[in-house]
Amino acid sequence: MKVLILGKGGREHALAWKFARSNRITGLYCAPGNPGTDELGTNVSIDANDVDAVVETAVRHEIELVFVGPEEPLALDVVSALADRGIAAIGPPASSARLESSKAFAKAFMQRHGVPTAAAKIVKSESDLRTFVSDNPGAVVVKMDGLAAGKGVREFDSATEALPFAETALKSGPVLLEERLHGIEVSAFALIDRNGHRILPPCADYKKSGERGTGSNTGGMGSISPVPWIDDETWDAVERTIIEPSIEGLRNDGLDYTGVLYIGVMLTENGPYTLEYNVRFGDPETQVILPLLRADILDVCEAMINGTISRCRIETDDLVSVGVVVASAGYPDSYRKNTPVTMDNVEGATVTPRSLDRLIFHSGTELNEHSHLVTVGGRCFTCVCRDTDVFRARTGAYELAESIHFDGAWCRSDIAARVFGS
Ligand code: AMP
Ligand code: GLY
């Protein structure tokens, strides 16, 4: 089968790596991909958000399945455009992708279907904003309604402190003002088709730039799966009160969905609450989950397309997988680009993941005109190690991170450390 993956990050490198392990793959393309995906298949240099170019590429290469990595092409309805040409895709149409592309739509969906979530108000004008602030002085989270690549959400200790950010956010559209929750975050992933679903093991990412969850929100500075500090009873509650009612809600609202639903959850002392929906896999969660998945990803995708995912065996290795992101100087604010990269013990410029247990996935990297590897993004690599023991997995992931050198490279030092009481 010929497969096209849309996107260019670590998530897409991990997807390409997993697809490349299938012995039924007859062609693997990534658009636009990165130096890591180029070693596993063929990169096609188009913009994944250019729907016409994606369809044209898929037709030209006789692609049978498109896996959509990021949210933007989904919001632009690439899935319906491909369906019009008879090409199957993993990812929902734009009508369902609104669960991610509009926080207001997602909040109304949660409320309608009884999915626990923080109380929230949508404000559209400065005067509504000022009324909210005087009526609700407490801690608040401000969320821009539309897609903002992780930059549209900020938490504040009081509504007054939130005012400047909320005022700026209002200039680009409606803003959600939400009760601030406290607890432990977990990422839930469900594979959904028209008839059923399967839930993947719990995963956690580390959203903040600073140690112990301080600093600004990022795309994610590390990840772990399964999550050693989440017990079966807690996870059962997440499945029962959040994941299943959400999927039931899709069916009741007649929202088509073939793909991955990613639910951001806060485990509070009053039980699990939904923070957000994403209509795709997470990055860097994918980089730790896929190496644990025993199944051929092509079988899983075909099951989703055929509506038989609930009959698919989704077994994972009994190991823990830890991912550490290596980022550019300055990230998540403006960051340096075109910094040359070298890697220890590696011939040539790029690294193809070497074994199942120690993997380096490229994100914001490129080969420049001299074929030298340089950084071009904020998050440049995800270093993943799997082991039976979380301490060894964590140590292994950091060893890989230390084997990557570029000016200003940094990573959080406390990924997966929580289990040791920090
Ligand atoms: P979101 O894009 O809605 O998931 O928000 C990004 C991050 O902001 C989440 O992963 C949380 O760390 C934080 N966040 C979002 N909503 C809330 C909330 N209601 N209370 C506390 N933190 C939140
Ligand atoms: N890890 C967060 C995201 O993929 O949105």
Side-chain angles (χ1 to χ4, degrees):
M1 184 181 263
K2 285 180 148 188
V3 174
L4 168 66
I5 298 168
L6 297 186
K8 60 179 179 183
R11 167 183 50 210
E12 287 75 24
H13 189 188
L15 282 162
W17 169 80
K18 188 68 181 161
F19 274 110
R21 295 174 66 79
S22 169
N23 50 25
R24 292 196 297 118
I25 281 278
T26 52
L28 180 60
Y29 298 83
C30 291
N34 64 34
T37 64
D38 203 32
E39 294 199 344
L40 299 164
T42 306
N43 282 355
V44 185
S45 130
I46 57 162
D47 180 352
N49 295 339
D50 182 341
V51 172
D52 291 339
V54 169
V55 173
E56 192 273 322
T57 300
V59 170
R60 181 157 39 92
H61 293 288
E62 298 174 333
I63 298 296
E64 295 157 275
L65 177 80
V66 177
F67 199 112
V68 188
E71 57 276 22
E72 293 95 337
L74 294 169
L76 294 166
D77 216 10
V78 73
V79 170
S80 303
L82 288 163
D84 287 346
R85 301 297 290 267
I87 301 166
I90 300 297
S95 47
S96 306
R98 287 183 74 201
L99 284 175
E100 177 164 2
S101 62
S102 167
K103 301 252 186 220
F105 178 85
K107 186 60 78 173
F109 176 95
M110 293 173 211
Q111 289 166 342
R112 190 162 59 248
H113 298 293
V115 178
T117 187
K121 180 160 175 61
I122 293 153
V123 299
K124 294 185 176 160
S125 69
E126 287 230 5
S127 65
D128 283 355
L129 178 61
R130 288 184 185 277
T131 310
F132 177 91
V133 169
S134 63
D135 292 351
N136 304 273
V140 68
V141 180
V142 181
K143 300 186 174 186
M144 293 163 77
D145 183 51
L147 294 180
K151 302 268 165 63
V153 176
R154 283 263 296 272
E155 300 109 287
F156 296 93
D157 292 330
S158 75
T160 314
E161 281 174 52
L163 207 52
F165 179 77
E167 278 171 351
T168 312
L170 255 185
K171 294 195 176 103
S172 39
V175 167
L176 208 76
L177 300 169
E178 191 167 289
E179 164 201 9
R180 185 168 180 184
L181 301 171
H182 295 281
I184 294 170
E185 284 190 56
V186 60
S187 303
F189 294 95
L191 307 174
I192 302 179
D193 67 23
R194 57 187 180 275
N195 297 313
H197 70 270
R198 302 289 277 160
I199 297 169
L200 294 173
C203 189
D205 78 334
Y206 291 73
K207 287 243 167 50
K208 300 286 188 283
S209 57
E211 313 288 309
R212 294 167 185 256
T214 55
S216 331
N217 273 326
T218 69
M221 296 304 301
S223 46
I224 182 167
S225 182
V227 188
W229 50 89
I230 295 182
D231 59 30
D232 289 351
E233 198 185 327
T234 307
W235 189 243
D236 282 351
V238 172
E239 291 193 3
R240 205 180 54 252
T241 64
I242 291 184
I243 306 177
E244 279 156 11
S246 298
I247 297 171
E248 191 77 22
L250 290 174
R251 313 240 184 269
N252 289 342
D253 286 357
L255 291 172
D256 273 356
Y257 210 108
T258 297
V260 183
L261 179 67
Y262 158 4
I263 312 182
V265 175
M266 182 80 89
L267 304 171
T268 74
E269 47 185 36
N270 299 318
Y273 278 68
T274 309
L275 294 175
E276 62 163 348
Y277 292 120
N278 296 304
V279 295
R280 51 170 175 86
F281 262 132
D283 183 335
E285 289 97 326
T286 310
Q287 293 91 307
V288 292
I289 291 179
L290 291 184
L292 296 175
L293 188 68
R294 286 194 189 149
D296 180 330
I297 193 169
L298 212 45
D299 292 343
V300 175
C301 292
E302 274 185 330
M304 282 195 270
I305 300 296
N306 295 333
T308 56
I309 192 67
S310 57
R311 283 192 262 135
C312 197
R313 285 163 77 90
I314 305 288
E315 288 172 352
T316 48
D317 287 333
D318 194 13
L319 299 170
V320 61
S321 185
V322 171
V324 171
V325 168
V326 181
S328 293
Y331 179 79
D333 297 324
S334 65
Y335 50 82
R336 212 182 299 159
K337 286 188 181 176
N338 296 313
T339 311
V341 180
T342 58
M343 293 159 122
D344 293 343
N345 307 322
V346 177
E347 299 279 319
T350 64
V351 174
T352 299
R354 285 161 280 191
S355 77
L356 254 181
D357 296 329
R358 292 165 78 81
L359 302 153
I360 295 179
F361 295 115
H362 287 249
S363 305
T365 66
E366 245 175 48
L367 294 179
N368 68 11
E369 67 275 24
H370 308 295
S371 296
H372 291 147
L373 189 67
V374 294
T375 64
V376 288
R379 295 184 296 165
C380 302
F381 297 91
T382 311
C383 301
V384 175
C385 183
R386 321 179 318 161
D387 206 295
T388 47
D389 173 79
V390 65
F391 179 75
R392 283 201 301 266
R394 170 174 201 271
T395 307
Y398 277 107
E399 274 168 15
L400 289 177
E402 277 159 24
S403 75
I404 297 172
H405 311 282
F406 59 91
D407 210 18
W410 67 278
C411 51
R412 257 180 75 165
S413 67
D414 61 345
I415 305 304
R418 198 197 143 76
V419 73
F420 311 113
S422 56

